[in-house]
Amino acid sequence: MQWGGGGESGRGMGRLWLLLTAMVVLLAWELAGEASRPQPNVSLWVLDHQGQQPPEKGALSTVTAESLDEQVSLGLKAHPVWLRLRVVGALPGQRLVLSNPLVQGVELLVCDDSGCRPVARETHFADDPGLAAALPQFRLPVATNELLLRVETDQAIRFNVQVLDDVDLHRYWRDLLLGQGLYFGLIAGLVIYNSLLLFSLRDTNYLWYLGFLSGAGAYFLCQNGLLLLYFPQMGARLNEALLLTALSVISICGLQFCRRFLMTARQDPRVDSLMRWLCWLLALAAAIAWLLPSFLTVVFYSLLGVLTLTAFLLSSVRGLWRGFRPAQWLLMAWSVLVVGVVLLLLVTYGLSPHNFWTLHGFQIGSALEAILLSLALADRISLLQRERETLLEEKARLHGMSYLDGLTGVHNRRYLDEALPAAVAQAEVSGRPLSLIMLDIDNFKRFNDGWGHAEGDRALQHLGKVIEEVVRDIDPVCRYGGEEFVILLKERDEHQALDIAERIRKGLATTPLTLLTGEQVLLTCTLGVAKRLEGESASALLRRADQALYRGKYAGRDRVVLNASGGVASTTS
């Protein structure tokens, strides 16, 4: 497995960002959980009574009861649950408040020897119906110690009971909103940032990641009663249906994100098939949440949640095993989410107490997971960018090799066929001079026959080095074929071209070639020079330089010949 990565500095900054964000989220939820701590003035017992009506008059004292802490965690129940409450030291104007916005089917009764009477649920708090809708609350009757609380809901029965006055209730809600504000601020920031990346990179991974973030935001708006706060008229049933639908959106987008991020359709077809089937089941579950709401729907979602998390972890582990490095971020992200979901499932089925971690663990896990998924995307994009750069470099290298002569290392004829017309067109537009030198080694066939082809190849390499020592880096040197070379001189007139040609001729004539046997021989060359005429084509210019070269050959070799518009001039050794 390959666990390579970027520089130590980049990894250190990523870890620091993750640590700081986690600390902020945990601090926010710690503040939000201040009001979730048990109150000392409420005692609770769960009654062994499942009827729709309270125990009959005079039978209350004989009903079996199990003592509870102020924090209730009874799991899913298909029948009503009856709780007996004893409130000690309640003051006039105080309210009995249940901390879980999802537990909406509640009824408070005052019971005495004459029977049980319902206590009206508060519909406003400080003239605002939103908070009263978000948190079930009742104004405590004066001089009443014994109460019955009936709870009937499709959601898990988990909450803590508090007796609060208006100031305490306002403080409780303020602390909760502080934590929620930090969470949704984090989600909004990630949505904006990754939306910009989506539009700039056009990568569908970001689209599914944004769907995942949006689903998480919608889920916790419903779970924490924020939708009921602003839309109190929507009711508990609609809130629950939206919550479960958001859970489907989270799971489907997470699965699609996994599929594309890990390329499972091509790399892991079996796991990919599992995730596609889960997407269809989650879509079906969302329809059931609207059409057949019941506690069985929550059970069905719990089963799908376990299967979805298993698919997340399985695909990430297999991706990491294949050597796909960004899968390590994915594995960490899903692992954090698994911890949060396990806490939620334990308290949903009454296997864990209702406390800070079971109340907010899923949301904390989703916040950390969102950060880790963002880091996974960044790492994937960085990896793909490096791979793209490597491919481009390799392509450039291969492209460059296709324009180079394998023997001498100078450009080949293919390069000349493209570069010469471009240089002619540029000179035509700019009006600046363009000259050409064509040369070859004198008596090269005789040298090849006498010393062999290996020495002939070394002679061509020797000439190439001599030429490159004279010309500028911006003046292309091309092997035209056999022992012939062409030099393209941009912005050089015939006088400058003649000077360069003469320096090449003298350099070769005075620089001996050391043969493989250790002997040294001197080579000579003949060079033809031509300056481009106004309106002259690339082929015509090349033809005139070739003519000048052959005139030099016929004139005795080892010389420079200029093919000018007004005649032929030559320089000999």
Side-chain angles (χ1 to χ4, degrees):
M1 292 184 291
Q2 300 296 325
W3 282 74
E8 290 295 329
S9 176
R11 288 197 296 268
M13 287 301 295
R15 294 191 190 104
L16 179 61
W17 177 38
L18 176 61
L19 178 61
L20 291 176
T21 307
M23 291 174 62
V24 170
V25 173
L26 288 174
L27 175 61
W29 294 127
E30 195 63 42
L31 288 172
E34 285 295 329
S36 299
R37 292 183 171 83
Q39 302 294 313
N41 56 346
V42 179
S43 300
L44 288 170
W45 295 267
V46 58
L47 304 181
D48 186 14
H49 177 71
Q50 300 178 3
Q52 292 291 335
Q53 300 300 321
E56 295 185 6
K57 177 182 177 180
L60 184 58
S61 60
T62 64
V63 174
T64 304
E66 178 184 354
S67 178
L68 298 175
D69 293 329
E70 291 82 357
Q71 295 174 325
V72 178
S73 179
L74 301 177
L76 295 170
K77 300 294 182 181
H79 55 75
V81 172
W82 289 88
L83 299 172
R84 182 180 177 186
L85 287 75
R86 177 175 295 165
V87 180
V88 179
L91 300 175
Q94 287 188 317
R95 300 169 185 242
L96 186 75
V97 181
L98 278 62
S99 66
N100 189 350
L102 296 180
V103 181
Q104 291 289 330
V106 293
E107 182 182 8
L108 184 68
L109 300 99
V110 177
C111 295
D112 53 26
D113 292 340
S114 62
C116 296
R117 302 179 304 279
V119 178
R121 178 171 170 172
E122 291 292 295
T123 58
H124 286 75
F125 175 76
D127 297 326
D128 182 5
L131 180 54
L135 291 178
Q137 52 191 270
F138 302 86
R139 184 79 65 176
L140 284 172
V142 178
T144 300
N145 291 333
E146 297 288 341
L147 301 165
L148 286 182
L149 186 67
R150 176 181 175 275
V151 183
E152 186 173 12
T153 177
D154 295 335
Q155 299 294 319
I157 299 176
R158 58 186 184 99
F159 54 86
N160 57 312
V161 180
Q162 303 176 83
V163 176
L164 304 172
D165 58 25
D166 288 355
V167 174
D168 291 334
L169 182 56
H170 183 272
R171 184 183 299 115
Y172 171 91
W173 192 250
R174 180 200 63 194
D175 291 343
L176 181 65
L177 289 182
L178 172 62
Q180 296 300 322
L182 287 173
Y183 173 80
F184 285 103
L186 171 66
I187 294 298
L190 289 173
V191 166
I192 294 171
Y193 173 69
N194 288 280
S195 295
L196 295 175
L197 291 178
L198 172 63
F199 287 116
S200 61
L201 299 176
R202 306 291 181 180
D203 189 333
T204 55
N205 281 287
Y206 286 96
L207 180 63
W208 292 111
Y209 177 62
L210 289 172
F212 179 87
L213 291 177
S214 302
Y219 177 87
F220 291 110
L221 279 175
C222 298
Q223 188 199 52
N224 293 298
L226 298 180
L227 275 185
L228 290 171
L229 174 67
Y230 295 108
F231 304 99
Q233 69 280 3
M234 67 183 293
R237 283 294 186 189
L238 179 57
N239 187 69
E240 290 177 9
L242 289 173
L243 179 139
L244 294 176
T245 302
L247 199 56
S248 285
V249 171
I250 294 172
S251 303
I252 291 173
C253 290
L255 289 167
Q256 294 292 349
F257 175 86
C258 247
R259 291 182 62 227
R260 282 155 178 79
F261 188 91
L262 298 172
M263 298 169 285
T264 55
R266 183 171 68 254
Q267 301 289 344
D268 203 344
R270 291 184 179 179
V271 173
D272 185 78
S273 179
L274 169 64
M275 291 193 287
R276 283 189 287 109
W277 274 106
L278 280 174
C279 287
W280 286 110
L281 288 174
L282 286 160
L284 174 63
I288 293 175
W290 288 89
L291 300 175
L292 300 170
S294 70
F295 85 101
L296 291 177
T297 305
V298 178
V299 174
F300 184 42
Y301 263 96
S302 301
L303 176 61
L304 287 180
V306 171
L307 292 175
T308 300
L309 290 174
T310 301
F312 286 158
L313 294 176
L314 180 63
S315 61
S316 301
V317 169
R318 289 168 69 91
L320 193 59
W321 187 258
R322 291 195 305 270
F324 186 54
R325 192 199 65 205
Q328 62 183 307
W329 293 108
L330 217 58
L331 182 59
M332 285 189 285
W334 300 134
S335 299
V336 169
L337 186 65
V338 165
V339 173
V341 172
V342 167
L343 291 173
L344 177 63
L345 290 176
L346 288 175
V347 74
T348 296
Y349 290 94
L351 302 176
S352 175
H354 176 75
N355 54 36
F356 169 78
W357 292 107
T358 56
L359 178 63
H360 298 301
F362 184 27
Q363 195 162 8
I364 293 173
S366 77
L368 296 178
E369 180 209 23
I371 297 171
L372 288 168
L373 288 182
S374 184
L375 292 174
L377 278 172
D379 193 28
R380 180 180 181 274
I381 294 300
S382 176
L383 180 63
L384 292 177
Q385 185 175 358
R386 285 195 296 271
E387 290 178 352
R388 188 178 296 112
E389 289 173 354
T390 301
L391 289 175
L392 289 175
E393 290 174 0
E394 181 66 14
K395 182 178 179 180
R397 187 182 68 84
L398 294 174
H399 185 266
M401 289 178 61
S402 69
Y403 287 103
L404 294 179
D405 177 57
L407 177 63
T408 62
V410 301
H411 294 293
N412 57 19
R413 182 165 181 171
R414 178 184 177 187
Y415 177 87
L416 180 67
D417 290 341
E418 296 182 12
L420 181 56
V424 167
Q426 184 180 5
E428 186 70 27
V429 173
S430 65
R432 296 183 177 180
L434 174 66
S435 298
L436 211 64
I437 299 175
M438 180 175 281
L439 68 152
D440 69 4
I441 298 175
D442 294 331
N443 300 311
F444 183 71
K445 185 177 184 305
R446 185 188 305 168
F447 179 90
N448 241 358
D449 292 341
W451 296 102
H453 290 286
E455 295 291 9
D457 290 343
R458 297 183 71 250
L460 294 174
Q461 293 170 342
H462 178 65
L463 174 58
K465 292 177 181 178
V466 170
I467 295 172
E468 289 184 330
E469 288 177 359
V470 175
V471 302
R472 302 174 300 178
D473 291 339
I474 62 172
D475 297 327
V477 179
C478 308
R479 185 181 176 192
Y480 191 65
E483 71 273 21
E484 291 183 328
F485 290 77
V486 174
I487 306 170
L488 189 59
L489 301 173
K490 300 177 182 179
E491 301 183 8
R492 297 293 185 101
D493 59 22
E494 64 271 32
H495 303 293
Q496 295 169 310
L498 283 171
D499 177 64
I500 292 171
E502 182 61 21
R503 285 159 53 199
I504 293 172
R505 188 190 68 80
K506 290 181 177 179
L508 183 63
T510 58
T511 305
L513 167 66
T514 302
L515 303 177
L516 294 172
T517 60
E519 299 179 61
Q520 292 187 333
V521 296
L522 288 172
L523 303 173
T524 62
C525 64
T526 302
L527 306 93
V529 178
K531 174 182 175 293
R532 178 182 174 273
L533 304 176
E534 185 176 354
E536 188 174 27
S537 66
S539 57
L541 175 61
L542 187 63
R543 187 167 52 253
R544 288 200 301 114
D546 187 47
Q547 291 172 352
L549 169 62
Y550 278 91
R551 287 175 183 172
K553 292 288 186 181
Y554 292 135
R557 298 184 177 85
D558 190 21
R559 66 194 61 225
V560 177
V561 176
L562 171 66
N563 190 338
S565 56
V568 176
S570 65
T571 301
T572 60
S573 57

